[in-house]
Amino acid sequence: MKITRNASTASMTGRTPDNFSGAVRVDNLSNGAPPSRVGTGVVTFSPGARTVWHTHPAGQTIIITAGKGWVQREGGPRDEVGPGDTVFFDADERHWHGATADTGMTHIAITEMVDGKNVDWLDPVTDDQYAG
Ligand code: MN
Protein backbone atom coordinates (compact mmCIF):
# COMPACT_ATOMS: atom_id res chain seq x y z
CA MET A 1 0.00 0.00 0.00
CA LYS A 2 1.21 3.47 -0.85
CA ILE A 3 -0.33 6.69 0.43
CA THR A 4 0.53 9.72 -1.66
CA ARG A 5 -0.12 12.84 0.37
CA ASN A 6 -1.96 15.76 -1.10
CA ALA A 7 0.36 18.35 -2.64
CA SER A 8 3.41 16.12 -2.13
CA THR A 9 4.74 17.05 -5.56
CA ALA A 10 5.09 20.51 -7.05
CA SER A 11 2.41 21.77 -9.40
CA MET A 12 3.37 21.79 -13.05
CA THR A 13 2.45 24.41 -15.58
CA GLY A 14 1.17 23.07 -18.87
CA ARG A 15 4.01 23.24 -21.35
CA THR A 16 2.39 25.56 -23.81
CA PRO A 17 2.20 25.52 -26.75
CA ASP A 18 3.18 21.85 -27.23
CA ASN A 19 0.55 20.43 -24.89
CA PHE A 20 -1.89 23.20 -23.98
CA SER A 21 -3.16 26.60 -25.02
CA GLY A 22 -3.73 29.08 -22.20
CA ALA A 23 -3.05 28.76 -18.50
CA VAL A 24 -3.17 25.16 -17.28
CA ARG A 25 -1.95 23.66 -14.00
CA VAL A 26 -1.31 19.94 -13.56
CA ASP A 27 -1.10 18.38 -10.08
CA ASN A 28 -0.07 14.75 -9.80
CA LEU A 29 -2.26 12.63 -7.52
CA SER A 30 -0.73 9.16 -7.67
CA ASN A 31 1.10 6.65 -9.80
CA GLY A 32 0.44 2.97 -9.37
CA ALA A 33 3.31 0.55 -8.85
CA PRO A 34 3.91 -2.08 -11.58
CA PRO A 35 2.17 -4.11 -12.86
CA SER A 36 -0.32 -1.25 -12.49
CA ARG A 37 0.09 1.25 -15.29
CA VAL A 38 -2.35 3.85 -13.98
CA GLY A 39 -1.52 7.43 -13.18
CA THR A 40 -3.91 10.06 -11.88
CA GLY A 41 -3.74 13.81 -11.71
CA VAL A 42 -5.80 16.98 -11.47
CA VAL A 43 -5.80 19.39 -14.39
CA THR A 44 -7.04 22.95 -13.89
CA PHE A 45 -7.83 25.00 -16.98
CA SER A 46 -8.35 28.78 -16.89
CA PRO A 47 -11.14 30.18 -19.08
CA GLY A 48 -10.19 29.69 -22.72
CA ALA A 49 -7.47 27.15 -21.94
CA ARG A 50 -7.49 23.70 -23.53
CA THR A 51 -5.28 20.83 -24.55
CA VAL A 52 -3.99 20.45 -28.08
CA TRP A 53 -5.48 17.60 -30.10
CA HIS A 54 -4.02 14.37 -28.73
CA THR A 55 -4.48 10.63 -28.28
CA HIS A 56 -3.90 8.15 -25.43
CA PRO A 57 -2.61 4.66 -26.25
CA ALA A 58 -4.93 3.00 -23.69
CA GLY A 59 -7.60 5.70 -23.56
CA GLN A 60 -8.33 8.11 -20.72
CA THR A 61 -11.04 8.78 -18.17
CA ILE A 62 -11.66 12.33 -16.99
CA ILE A 63 -13.98 13.24 -14.10
CA ILE A 64 -15.03 16.88 -14.08
CA THR A 65 -14.91 18.24 -10.53
CA ALA A 66 -15.49 21.98 -10.97
CA GLY A 67 -16.48 24.64 -13.45
CA LYS A 68 -17.63 24.17 -17.02
CA GLY A 69 -15.71 22.54 -19.84
CA TRP A 70 -15.78 21.54 -23.47
CA VAL A 71 -14.69 18.17 -24.87
CA GLN A 72 -14.56 16.96 -28.45
CA ARG A 73 -13.45 13.88 -30.34
CA GLU A 74 -12.48 14.14 -33.97
CA GLY A 75 -15.57 14.04 -36.15
CA GLY A 76 -17.91 14.65 -33.24
CA PRO A 77 -19.62 17.71 -31.79
CA ARG A 78 -18.11 19.87 -29.09
CA ASP A 79 -19.88 18.80 -25.88
CA GLU A 80 -20.25 20.77 -22.67
CA VAL A 81 -19.42 19.00 -19.40
CA GLY A 82 -19.70 19.93 -15.74
CA PRO A 83 -19.05 18.64 -12.23
CA GLY A 84 -19.85 14.95 -11.80
CA ASP A 85 -19.68 14.21 -15.52
CA THR A 86 -17.21 11.52 -16.59
CA VAL A 87 -15.78 11.17 -20.08
CA PHE A 88 -13.90 8.17 -21.45
CA PHE A 89 -11.82 8.70 -24.56
CA ASP A 90 -11.12 5.49 -26.46
CA ALA A 91 -7.58 4.33 -27.12
CA ASP A 92 -6.06 6.33 -29.97
CA GLU A 93 -9.19 8.49 -30.28
CA ARG A 94 -8.10 11.96 -31.35
CA HIS A 95 -9.64 14.52 -28.96
CA TRP A 96 -9.20 17.62 -26.83
CA HIS A 97 -10.56 18.88 -23.51
CA GLY A 98 -10.56 22.23 -21.78
CA ALA A 99 -12.42 25.06 -20.13
CA THR A 100 -15.20 27.01 -21.78
CA ALA A 101 -14.37 30.46 -23.08
CA ASP A 102 -15.57 32.26 -19.95
CA THR A 103 -15.50 29.67 -17.15
CA GLY A 104 -12.61 27.59 -15.86
CA MET A 105 -12.76 23.81 -15.51
CA THR A 106 -11.04 21.25 -13.32
CA HIS A 107 -10.94 17.51 -13.97
CA ILE A 108 -9.28 14.45 -12.55
CA ALA A 109 -7.47 12.46 -15.25
CA ILE A 110 -6.93 8.69 -15.07
CA THR A 111 -4.52 7.49 -17.72
CA GLU A 112 -2.66 4.22 -18.36
CA MET A 113 0.87 3.89 -19.65
CA VAL A 114 1.68 1.71 -22.68
CA ASP A 115 5.35 1.17 -23.47
CA GLY A 116 6.31 4.04 -21.20
CA LYS A 117 3.95 6.70 -22.50
CA ASN A 118 0.36 7.71 -21.91
CA VAL A 119 -0.21 10.46 -24.47
CA ASP A 120 0.76 11.60 -27.94
CA TRP A 121 0.38 15.35 -28.40
CA LEU A 122 -0.71 16.46 -31.89
CA ASP A 123 -1.92 19.77 -33.39
CA PRO A 124 -3.27 22.87 -31.64
CA VAL A 125 -7.04 23.30 -31.39
CA THR A 126 -7.68 26.32 -33.60
CA ASP A 127 -9.83 29.17 -32.36
CA ASP A 128 -12.51 28.17 -34.89
CA GLN A 129 -12.50 24.56 -33.65
CA TYR A 130 -12.59 25.78 -30.05
CA ALA A 131 -15.52 28.08 -30.78
CA GLY A 132 -17.45 25.04 -32.01
MN1 MN B 1 -6.97 13.46 -23.16
Side-chain angles (χ1 to χ4, degrees):
M1 187 177 89
K2 177 175 73 171
I3 297 174
T4 303
R5 299 297 177 185
N6 185 49
S8 59
T9 56
S11 298
M12 294 174 287
T13 300
R15 287 172 292 158
T16 55
D18 292 342
N19 305 3
F20 298 99
S21 299
V24 179
R25 193 178 81 242
V26 180
D27 291 289
N28 181 257
L29 286 177
S30 67
N31 292 295
S36 172
R37 296 170 298 181
V38 173
T40 61
V42 179
V43 188
T44 304
F45 298 86
S46 295
R50 67 271 196 181
T51 68
V52 300
W53 288 98
H54 62 283
T55 60
H56 303 283
Q60 180 185 49
T61 298
I62 63 171
I63 305 164
I64 289 76
T65 57
K68 193 188 297 182
W70 287 331
V71 299
Q72 186 175 26
R73 66 177 176 84
E74 184 162 58
R78 190 197 66 186
D79 282 312
E80 188 167 301
V81 291
D85 292 339
T86 298
V87 183
F88 178 72
F89 300 102
D90 284 328
D92 298 322
E93 182 173 64
R94 188 178 158 93
H95 70 281
W96 62 270
H97 29 114
T100 64
D102 57 6
T103 304
M105 186 271 280
T106 303
H107 69 58
I108 292 170
I110 304 169
T111 318
E112 292 171 82
M113 303 283 279
V114 176
D115 296 331
K117 70 177 179 181
N118 61 13
V119 61
D120 285 298
W121 301 108
L122 302 169
D123 312 309
V125 176
T126 66
D127 287 343
D128 281 351
Q129 291 170 334
Y130 181 69

